[in-house]
Amino acid sequence: MIKRELYMSRIRPFIGTDLIKVMTGIRRCGKSVMLKLIQQELTESGINPKQFISINFEDMNYSHLQTAQALHDEISARASEIGGKVYLFFDEIQEVKDWEKCINSFRVSLDCDIYITGSNANLLSSELATYLGGRYVEFVIYPFSFKEFMELYHSITPDASIQQCFQKYLIVGGMPYLSNIRYADAPSKQYLQDLFNSVQLKDIMKRNKIRDIDLLERIIAYVIANVGTTFSASSLAKFLKNEKRTVSPETILNYIKYCCEAYLFYQVKREDLQGKQILSSNEKYYIADHGIREAIFGGNMRDINLILENIVYLELLRRGFDVTVGRNGNKEIDFVCNKQGEKIYVQVTYLLASQETIDREFGAYDRIKDNFPKYVVSLDEFDMSQNGIKHRNIRDFLLAKEWN
């Protein structure tokens, strides 16, 4: 079990406090493991595991606890038997109707430390979330980074070079469970297809009561095929019209929003760097895990430029950056990244194989006069840094402890 210190270092300051710790992210990205890691850390600090109450609401054994009242009665009874402080761990809490009422009641009436996970970005944005206003901290959990993947892959294939690890990562992605099937090609593909179907069915269709399944599937297929490419709802509506499906841009935007809420896609807005304003159209979307794209759509190696962008974007999110796509006159910068006053710019390309490509990628920064770090990231092995702009091999960029 990987320690996932990136997340533990953020969660650790809140362990033992009365704030509710909420972990969200796409289904099977490792949220349940985070609960186990927290339990492990508590045990090592001297807490008796008998004080833990842990429930996974996807387990049918707990289906009778999927209302706030039933869960409240059960936990209150168990906490009374344990006596003293209890540590509550609830996995996939969104399965419990009116869960916020119940969790807030525990916070008020019990001596407890609460940890919950969920697979929907709207977990805390419903009206009921006012019960928890200001009393929680949220952490988004992502699939494995390349560094985490390499650590596990080396435990299975010790002699694999960094290049071989990255080649595998390009295809299978970072979903944690794949290490249990030793990253074997056919089982990995089947697992990722099943995962995608589960997200589509449980977290998108059922949750949002979508009846037009064919339309949803077409929209998802289009976004997956065009990760990292700017497009508008109007252009997608025209595309679907050519496919004999008439649909409004508003409906398309709603369906994509549902996918983002389930953490299948991430929306990246465009920013005018000269006017310092967010542009209202033509966003980009990236997929939560590029291995899912390969399993259900294929073509990761054919579309490697887009996949490298996708990988870098998720790494920026893992490290806590707010990311936009930058427009600078008629030029575009892949990622403008901000974090608490820290700022970096990142251009991603496959290879700097021609002078034209070099001029385009480095030239994107021509009109940016600030002194924040500017990167061009590619698979090239040789350092081509120039004019104060840093060039990095993508593997080195992903494995670096920090960027400055």
Side-chain angles (χ1 to χ4, degrees), residues 188-205:
S188 295
K189 183 174 182 179
Q190 182 179 343
Y191 173 82
L192 291 170
Q193 288 172 340
D194 291 344
L195 167 58
F196 169 76
N197 290 335
S198 180
V199 170
Q200 184 173 263
L201 177 65
K202 294 182 180 178
D203 299 323
I204 301 173
M205 284 165 45

Side-chain angles (χ1 to χ4, degrees), residues 76-333:
S76 297
R78 289 171 65 174
S80 179
E81 289 176 11
I82 292 169
K85 187 166 187 171
V86 291
Y87 296 79
L88 307 179
F89 302 90
F90 299 128
D91 211 352
E92 301 295 355
I93 191 70
Q94 75 275 354
E95 302 297 332
V96 178
K97 181 176 171 55
D98 295 343
W99 64 268
E100 293 99 329
K101 293 180 180 179
C102 179
I103 295 297
N104 191 54
S105 178
F106 295 150
R107 189 191 63 79
V108 172
S109 62
L110 295 179
D111 182 8
C112 63
D113 190 9
I114 304 173
Y115 303 83
I116 63 178
T117 78
S119 299
N120 192 277
N122 269 357
L123 197 66
L124 294 163
S125 63
S126 68
E127 290 179 16
L128 288 174
T130 55
Y131 285 93
L132 306 181
R135 301 184 185 97
Y136 65 86
V137 284
E138 185 176 11
F139 308 92
V140 179
I141 310 298
Y142 301 96
F144 281 159
S145 65
F146 175 53
K147 182 179 181 181
E148 290 173 316
F149 171 87
M150 196 164 70
E151 184 180 333
L152 267 185
Y153 193 64
H154 269 155
S155 70
I156 296 165
T157 313
D159 297 330
S161 65
I162 292 178
Q163 290 90 337
Q164 288 169 329
C165 288
F166 192 67
Q167 193 73 17
K168 192 70 173 180
Y169 186 63
L170 283 171
I171 299 299
V172 300
M175 295 309 291
Y177 186 81
L178 295 182
S179 64
N180 295 331
I181 48 181
R182 303 182 67 80
Y183 296 105
D185 292 342
S188 295
K189 183 174 182 179
Q190 182 179 343
Y191 173 82
L192 291 170
Q193 288 172 340
D194 291 344
L195 167 58
F196 169 76
N197 290 335
S198 180
V199 170
Q200 184 173 263
L201 177 65
K202 294 182 180 178
D203 299 323
I204 301 173
M205 284 165 45
K206 284 189 175 179
R207 183 177 182 88
N208 298 289
K209 299 179 174 60
I210 292 174
R211 294 179 180 175
D212 196 339
I213 297 168
D214 175 72
L215 177 61
L216 175 67
E217 289 176 343
R218 286 170 185 259
I219 291 172
I220 289 176
Y222 184 92
V223 177
I224 286 176
N226 292 280
V227 293
T229 305
T230 53
F231 65 86
S232 66
S234 298
S235 64
L236 179 44
K238 289 176 184 175
F239 170 81
L240 290 169
K241 189 174 183 180
N242 290 335
E243 301 276 307
K244 310 301 182 191
R245 288 300 315 256
T246 301
V247 57
S248 71
E250 290 76 19
T251 299
I252 289 170
L253 287 173
N254 280 334
Y255 277 32
I256 294 177
K257 179 169 75 78
Y258 299 151
C259 294
C260 292
E261 288 170 355
Y263 291 102
L264 179 61
F265 300 136
Y266 289 87
Q267 182 194 70
V268 192
K269 293 188 176 297
R270 296 167 69 238
E271 176 185 3
D272 185 333
L273 297 178
Q274 292 175 317
K276 300 189 185 305
Q277 62 180 357
I278 297 296
L279 303 172
S280 60
S281 63
N282 288 12
E283 298 93 349
K284 286 187 178 183
Y285 293 88
Y286 293 96
I287 192 167
D289 180 73
H290 57 280
I292 295 175
R293 184 187 192 269
E294 175 68 25
I296 63 170
F297 181 74
N300 275 12
M301 299 311 294
R302 180 190 66 234
D303 302 326
I304 190 165
N305 213 51
L306 301 179
I307 300 309
L308 295 179
E309 260 189 53
N310 205 108
I311 289 170
V312 169
Y313 172 69
L314 265 292
E315 186 64 22
L316 292 164
L317 292 189
R318 280 188 199 94
R319 300 199 188 195
F321 284 96
D322 293 321
V323 183
T324 58
V325 175
R327 191 182 74 180
N328 193 28
N330 62 350
K331 296 183 178 180
E332 190 165 275
I333 295 168

